[in-house]
Amino acid sequence: MSRMRVGPAVLAALLLLGGWGGWAGGGRVAAQEEREPGTPPELAERVVAFYNRESTIHLTGESALAAGSEMVGDVAVLGGPFTLGGRVRGDLLVVNGALQLEPGAEVTGSVLIVGGSARGLAGARVAGGVVVYPETFRYRLENQRLAYAGPRAGGLTAGRQFEFGRADFMLAMRGGYNRVEGLPVAFGPRLELGRTNLTRFEALGIYRSATGLRVDAGRVGYALRAEQFFGGWRTARLGVRVFSEVRSIQDMGLSDRENSLATFVLHRDYRDHYRATGLSAYARLARRDLPWDLTFEYRDERDLTLSPHGIWAIFDEKWRDQPIVAEGTLRSAAASLEYDTRNDVITPAAGWYLNGRIERGFGGSLVYPVAVTPTAFAPPIPSNPDFLTATVDVRRYVRLGPYSRFALRALAAGSVDGRQLPPQRQLALGGEGNLPGYRLYGFDCNARQSAQQYPAGDFYPYYGCDRAILFQLEYQAALPLAHKLGELIGFRGDPGESLGWVAFYDAGRAWTDVARRSGRGGGQDDMAADAGVGLRIERIGLYWALPLSGRGQGLNFFVRIGPRL
């Protein structure tokens, strides 16, 4: 008999359901004008208005107009590249793609490129000039109409511009609502000096609602930062941070919003946490007009195990126990690389996403506060701070049609040299964020088989395994009778874009090498897999997952806000 269990934010989801002219100016030479990175609001409005104009000719993906051919009217190319050998009698817009002008190509109006580049200008004729905004344009297609999906505000700011720079006071939620700190709220001033190469200072305090009215050094976090930018356009920066913050060991494939709602509404925190206090120095290369983001960082921190607090939630019950982490000082160096060409961070339908990170621990005094085996309280035992761990997360999004897309994800993470990882770097699988056909943390090398007694309460002896791999496939499409269904239920807009069905498949494995277990479980010997289907209503997804191996617990119904991948 199938077993139904409620996934993250199922009740919270119910609460939540309730003219181009003048872009480039005059002129009769194919001169390219490149603007500073960023998408000004007025530019986004003009791009959207031009694309959505009924008279605009739309091209999608790789397109070309051969020599001797002609298009009459304004042309918008979405997700190029676009090779132009003939003539466009009108204005040309290219969004997130390169424009290649062949010798003899002609545009009688203006050319605007947002999120791309132009080549071959010398041999072409553009009456109105060429303007290029190189930063990727974030967009969504809603009812076959373009909508800007640009950067969202991360909180509330109030400030003033001065001749020497700008001063702001910020108030924002930092991370998500969780069973350890409650609601973390960051507040404090930020000062920016200069214009082209900014000098930035930031001093934020972090109030944790779990502490109530008790405000002391051990309960209030902080994040102090000083940064110096170089190279213009905020191309590169050097910075130093001093921090005391609560971190999650893994995000478990869920967004901060989903985990916060699950914690607050369902009394179910899907993540485990620890506290890190220390300093870091970093160098970052991240031009806003390029999809690459490269960071090198050195950290010297002190880690500490945390216990769940009596934070407020709708359902009143005991919180799930936390795992023990290796406590003490840890010095490490890390390098991370991110490559992102997705059309939209929130609901991607096209592009690549790559995140790679490697970290080397090379000193410190980490110890386990309790024995690793589930026995009585024992004196601290040393933990290995000299570890080497890496993560590679690759995702590909492909739009197959106006109302369908395909997404693929491959993840490999864990110990590179085979050495045992401290608990705060270990890995686990299972749950709605990665393998929804199985229980949360179902593949953790038996870390949660039984809790241990510890002076501060009950804790699990460690977090999970040293290595993990995960593969995920997903296909989304409109419901076959979406239009008729939308009319039947009185749905506004285009149901083909807002109502759809989903099919998915997941497979993964988490394990620890025999020589490195030291009382821990070994994990899986083979892959665990599940498959399922779902219904999508706007950003709300209703899913059913079925395990395909013997360790599952029957059919799982769960709700997601936003995409699974």
Side-chain angles (χ1 to χ4, degrees):
M1 183 175 64
S2 65
R3 178 178 181 269
M4 305 286 285
R5 64 182 193 269
V6 179
V10 64
L11 295 181
L14 298 178
L15 297 175
L16 292 177
L17 289 176
W20 187 346
W23 262 348
R28 298 188 58 82
V29 295
Q32 178 178 350
E33 180 183 355
E34 186 164 315
R35 300 294 177 87
E36 186 171 330
T39 304
E42 61 274 12
L43 172 66
E45 293 175 2
R46 292 173 180 171
V47 170
V48 170
F50 180 84
Y51 186 91
N52 293 334
R53 194 181 304 160
E54 291 185 2
S55 60
T56 301
I57 301 170
H58 296 130
L59 302 176
T60 303
E62 186 172 355
S63 308
L65 182 64
S69 301
E70 184 177 87
M71 283 186 175
V72 180
D74 296 334
V75 178
V77 182
L78 188 63
F82 180 52
T83 302
L84 177 60
R87 176 188 298 168
V88 172
R89 288 188 176 273
D91 294 322
L92 174 62
L93 166 67
V94 180
V95 178
N96 293 351
L99 172 63
Q100 177 65 54
L101 295 166
E102 302 292 340
E106 182 180 357
V107 178
T108 63
S110 303
V111 172
L112 175 68
I113 301 171
V114 183
S117 59
R119 297 189 297 268
L121 296 175
R125 178 183 176 86
V126 180
V130 179
V131 176
V132 176
Y133 285 84
E135 184 175 5
T136 300
F137 186 81
R138 304 292 183 181
Y139 70 90
R140 296 188 302 271
L141 285 176
E142 300 174 349
N143 308 331
Q144 291 303 290
R145 295 175 64 82
L146 193 72
Y148 180 51
R152 300 186 174 188
L156 301 176
T157 61
R160 184 177 178 182
Q161 188 72 38
F162 299 94
E163 291 186 2
F164 59 83
R166 181 175 179 84
D168 288 283
F169 186 87
M170 300 184 297
L171 178 66
M173 182 174 172
R174 192 176 184 89
Y177 192 73
N178 61 77
R179 71 188 189 280
V180 169
E181 56 182 344
L183 182 67
V185 179
F187 59 93
R190 179 174 64 189
L191 177 64
E192 293 182 344
L193 306 176
R195 295 186 180 274
T196 303
N197 293 312
L198 295 177
T199 301
R200 176 183 293 166
F201 300 97
E202 191 175 271
L204 301 180
I206 304 174
Y207 168 75
R208 298 162 179 150
S209 66
T211 65
L213 299 179
R214 295 184 60 183
V215 179
D216 56 57
R219 294 174 178 268
V220 176
Y222 51 85
L224 313 179
R225 182 195 304 265
E227 285 183 324
Q228 177 63 57
F229 290 81
F230 299 94
W233 290 11
R234 304 187 182 185
T235 299
R237 70 190 75 177
L238 295 176
V240 60
R241 292 181 65 235
V242 180
F243 55 86
S244 178
E245 56 195 13
V246 173
R247 297 177 183 165
S248 58
I249 299 177
Q250 274 185 282
D251 63 17
M252 296 307 292
L254 301 175
S255 66
D256 287 343
R257 176 181 297 178
E258 289 176 301
N259 194 67
S260 297
L261 289 171
T263 303
F264 178 75
V265 177
L266 301 177
H267 205 280
R268 191 179 190 194
D269 189 348
Y270 279 71
R271 300 174 180 175
D272 289 331
H273 314 270
Y274 69 102
R275 190 174 77 187
T277 302
L279 62 87
S280 72
Y282 59 91
R284 182 179 175 189
L285 180 64
R287 274 187 57 153
R288 294 172 58 189
D289 58 320
L290 297 177
W292 299 95
D293 190 334
L294 177 63
T295 302
F296 299 94
E297 182 180 20
Y298 166 81
R299 286 204 301 232
D300 189 342
E301 64 184 51
R302 176 175 292 275
D303 295 345
L304 179 68
T305 298
L306 295 175
S307 59
H309 285 277
I311 68 170
W312 198 88
I314 291 180
F315 294 106
D316 186 17
E317 57 187 80
K318 184 180 182 297
W319 289 105
R320 179 172 57 85
D321 292 329
Q322 279 269 116
I324 287 289
V325 301
E327 298 184 340
T329 59
L330 171 63
R331 295 187 296 274
S332 67
S336 61
L337 173 66
E338 184 177 275
Y339 176 75
D340 189 356
T341 63
R342 294 174 294 177
N343 66 302
D344 181 15
V345 176
I346 306 299
T347 55
W352 287 88
Y353 177 78
L354 166 67
N355 187 290
R357 177 179 173 84
I358 185 167
E359 181 185 13
R360 177 70 177 183
F362 55 85
S365 58
L366 291 181
V367 297
Y368 286 98
V370 296
V372 176
T373 56
T375 59
F377 173 72
I381 58 175
S383 174
N384 175 34
D386 300 319
F387 59 86
L388 180 62
T389 183
T391 300
V392 178
D393 186 353
V394 181
R395 309 183 195 189
R396 173 62 169 155
Y397 304 89
V398 180
R399 186 183 294 278
L400 302 178
Y403 300 125
S404 62
R405 70 148 207 179
F406 175 77
L408 166 68
R409 181 191 187 194
L411 169 73
S415 176
V416 175
D417 56 6
R419 294 186 180 184
Q420 178 177 323
L421 299 178
Q424 52 267 52
R425 297 296 188 274
Q426 291 171 6
L427 304 154
L429 294 176
E432 286 74 10
N434 45 69
L435 288 173
Y438 303 87
R439 64 179 175 83
L440 181 65
Y441 293 105
F443 305 100
D444 63 354
C445 294
N446 298 330
R448 291 159 184 80
Q449 195 169 34
S450 61
Q452 287 185 236
Q453 291 292 324
Y454 182 62
D458 293 341
F459 290 86
Y460 294 118
Y462 55 97
Y463 178 81
C465 309
D466 285 343
R467 291 172 174 169
I469 54 176
L470 176 68
F471 300 95
Q472 295 179 284
L473 304 173
E474 182 178 277
Y475 175 76
Q476 288 189 17
L479 289 171
L481 300 177
H483 293 277
K484 292 186 178 180
L485 178 61
E487 295 175 358
L488 182 64
I489 64 177
F491 191 86
R492 295 183 179 181
D494 186 349
E497 181 69 23
S498 304
L499 303 175
W501 65 276
V502 180
F504 61 88
Y505 172 83
D506 311 293
R509 180 191 176 202
W511 75 100
T512 297
D513 292 342
V514 175
R516 305 296 180 182
R517 293 177 183 175
S518 302
R520 295 185 294 161
Q524 302 161 249
D525 294 324
D526 55 6
M527 301 283 283
D530 61 38
V533 295
L535 296 175
R536 182 177 53 85
I537 307 173
E538 291 286 351
R539 294 190 60 200
I540 305 299
L542 312 176
Y543 300 96
W544 291 262
L546 184 68
L548 301 180
S549 61
R551 296 188 62 181
Q553 300 184 35
L555 187 66
N556 177 26
F557 169 70
F558 61 103
V559 176
R560 296 292 304 271
I561 301 175
R564 291 181 63 249
L565 303 185

